[in-house]
Amino acid sequence: MKELGRRCSLCNKKAVVYIPYQRRYYCKDHFVEFLINKVRSTIKRYKLIKNRDKVLVALSGGKDSAVMMDILFKLSKDFGFKLAAVHIDLGIEGFSDESRKVVEQQARRLGANLVVVRLNEILGVGLTELSRKARRPPCSVCGLVKRYLLNLAALVSGASKLALGHNLDDIMAYALKGFLTQDLRYISKLGPSTESIDDLAVGRIRPLYEVYESETRLYAQLLEIPVVKSRCPHFRPNQMEVELKNVINDIEQERPGMKLSFIRRFVRNIQYYPGINEDIIPCKYCGMISSTGECSFCRLTKRIFGEPMGPRAKRYLKDLFDVQNLWT
Ligand code: SF4
Ligand code: ZN
Ligand code: ZN
């Protein structure tokens, strides 16, 4: 931990961080309190969670989802919502075992219920083999599979919200990339929440929408939250996102608070981007959300295995959630 040689702006303890956009130094305790309050205000500002909501947290093993889970757990009594976690085990050799063990520790330290969905048990193959069979890059197949299984898990579990751990730096880089590549439909999906659609999709929320990446990193370090140490073997940095994050951070350094004012203006304007009113047609195989009558998971698996695997995934998840009463 960097020694700042300064005192906390709120008490006399040693400061561990300076927050430039607030012009404040914080000690460990006041920084933790500051971040919890920031997420509390984000939830209120964007009306992310209601009393009695059942919030299913998508835990990956990384710092962002772990910090989100920790903070939501601390806020659950105040807001009166229930919390449980889900993890998608992608069956990637080595990395997935480590991720699963870490999310189990993360859930255990909070006493939270966790369900692990294993891709191997649904398809008989892990992600690496699936992307080879699909002849598509692993990360693109991974994104599709995770989106599908997380939504399905949320529906089957009876959750009213699915919480995703994207932080402000991620959202801003995705939004700028969408603008530079003129992928405006993609931008329309980057708001702080989406609505639930009966029996088809559970509303997604992003409680870290206004939280800087550096803040989740420090919070995880200070509270010694276990996180995955190794990197997915398929990880390839997206060069444009990396460069955009660097530029964003340079501007933030010159003009502290720029990220926050960007995101708030972005939310005001997001309604003007195309894509919000896409067609919604249930998949003819699994009944899940699609825009063409065939969801991307069923389309992909039908091409690879000769049969759409959505119905099988649904049965698997129903069995999995039947044996655990998540929300007690
Ligand atoms: Fe999935 Fe790619 Fe991330 Fe690996 S690096 S977990 S394949 S998105
Ligand atoms: Zn203090
Ligand atoms: Zn389907």
Side-chain angles (χ1 to χ4, degrees):
M1 192 67 50
K2 207 163 82 188
E3 182 53 70
L4 297 177
R6 298 291 294 247
R7 296 276 153 191
C8 173
S9 307
L10 301 180
C11 70
N12 206 26
K13 289 193 201 139
K14 270 190 201 150
V16 295
V17 65
Y18 176 63
I19 305 289
Y21 59 88
Q22 284 210 320
R23 296 196 191 146
R24 275 190 174 167
Y25 289 89
Y26 286 124
C27 65
K28 174 183 166 183
D29 291 347
H30 278 117
F31 172 72
V32 167
E33 188 181 293
F34 154 73
L35 209 64
I36 294 172
N37 283 335
K38 196 177 196 193
V39 175
R40 187 198 307 274
S41 322
T42 306
I43 292 172
K44 284 187 183 159
R45 176 183 290 270
Y46 301 116
K47 301 185 176 58
L48 300 185
I49 303 179
K50 297 190 305 283
N51 189 8
R52 292 173 195 245
D53 259 335
K54 290 178 180 163
V55 179
L56 189 65
V57 173
L59 279 184
S60 66
K63 65 179 186 334
D64 295 315
S65 59
V67 167
M68 170 176 71
M69 176 82 177
D70 186 278
I71 296 180
L72 287 182
F73 190 80
K74 288 167 179 159
L75 292 175
S76 57
K77 281 213 175 63
D78 294 3
F79 281 92
F81 61 84
K82 291 188 172 170
L83 201 67
V86 62
H87 171 68
I88 310 294
D89 180 334
L90 297 161
I92 299 170
E93 215 187 323
F95 175 72
S96 290
D97 289 335
E98 185 192 342
S99 305
R100 198 191 56 253
K101 283 179 195 146
V102 168
V103 294
E104 282 166 358
Q105 286 170 19
Q106 291 170 353
R108 209 176 310 123
R109 73 181 269 283
L110 298 173
N113 285 335
L114 166 75
V115 167
V116 177
V117 177
R118 290 179 166 85
L119 187 61
N120 252 316
E121 291 182 357
I122 298 170
L123 299 182
V125 295
L127 185 90
T128 309
E129 182 63 6
L130 187 66
S131 84
R132 203 185 55 74
K133 284 180 185 288
R135 295 199 200 91
R136 277 176 58 173
C139 294
S140 116
V141 177
C142 186
L144 183 159
V145 163
K146 280 193 292 201
R147 261 193 310 281
Y148 181 82
L149 292 178
L150 286 174
N151 183 44
L152 190 56
L155 273 172
V156 171
S157 70
S160 53
K161 299 280 163 59
L162 174 66
L164 306 175
H166 300 135
N167 61 50
L168 171 50
D169 297 54
D170 295 333
I171 300 290
M172 198 166 165
Y174 298 158
L176 292 184
K177 189 172 116 193
F179 184 74
L180 292 177
T181 57
Q182 282 298 286
D183 189 350
L184 304 183
R185 305 179 87 77
Y186 174 68
I187 295 184
S188 70
K189 298 184 169 63
L190 295 174
S193 64
T194 61
E195 291 294 321
S196 293
I197 304 167
D198 281 348
D199 301 329
L200 290 178
V202 172
R204 283 166 295 155
I205 54 169
R206 295 181 164 123
L208 303 183
Y209 204 69
E210 296 201 346
V211 174
Y212 289 25
E213 187 167 4
S214 55
E215 294 169 346
T216 61
R217 192 178 307 112
L218 181 62
Y219 187 98
Q221 268 174 23
L222 290 173
L223 296 192
E224 297 177 13
I225 296 176
V227 294
V228 175
K229 298 274 184 306
S230 62
R231 227 179 209 168
C232 172
H234 300 304
F235 177 76
R236 305 282 175 277
N238 179 311
Q239 213 43 47
M240 191 192 274
E241 283 172 19
V242 173
E243 283 164 20
L244 284 170
K245 280 189 177 178
N246 289 340
V247 172
I248 293 165
N249 282 331
D250 287 348
I251 304 175
E252 175 76 20
Q253 216 163 14
E254 290 298 314
R255 305 176 62 181
M258 178 277 298
K259 290 184 199 176
L260 271 175
S261 56
F262 168 87
I263 208 74
R264 289 178 186 171
R265 285 178 197 175
F266 176 66
V267 174
R268 279 206 292 276
N269 290 331
I270 203 163
Q271 55 181 314
Y272 300 116
Y273 289 93
I276 295 280
N277 298 318
E278 270 181 349
D279 286 342
I280 295 168
I281 308 170
C283 171
K284 61 186 170 201
Y285 301 114
C286 68
M288 299 291 288
I289 192 163
S290 84
S291 55
T292 60
E294 192 182 44
C295 74
S296 32
F297 186 78
C298 284
R299 195 180 315 128
L300 178 87
T301 50
K302 194 171 94 181
R303 180 161 70 75
I304 296 174
F305 302 104
E307 78 170 291
M309 293 293 198
R312 188 196 281 216
K314 218 169 176 175
R315 281 196 301 277
Y316 167 84
L317 277 156
K318 279 189 173 148
D319 287 348
L320 198 65
F321 281 96
D322 270 355
V323 292
Q324 303 190 42
N325 198 350
L326 263 193
W327 307 108
T328 53

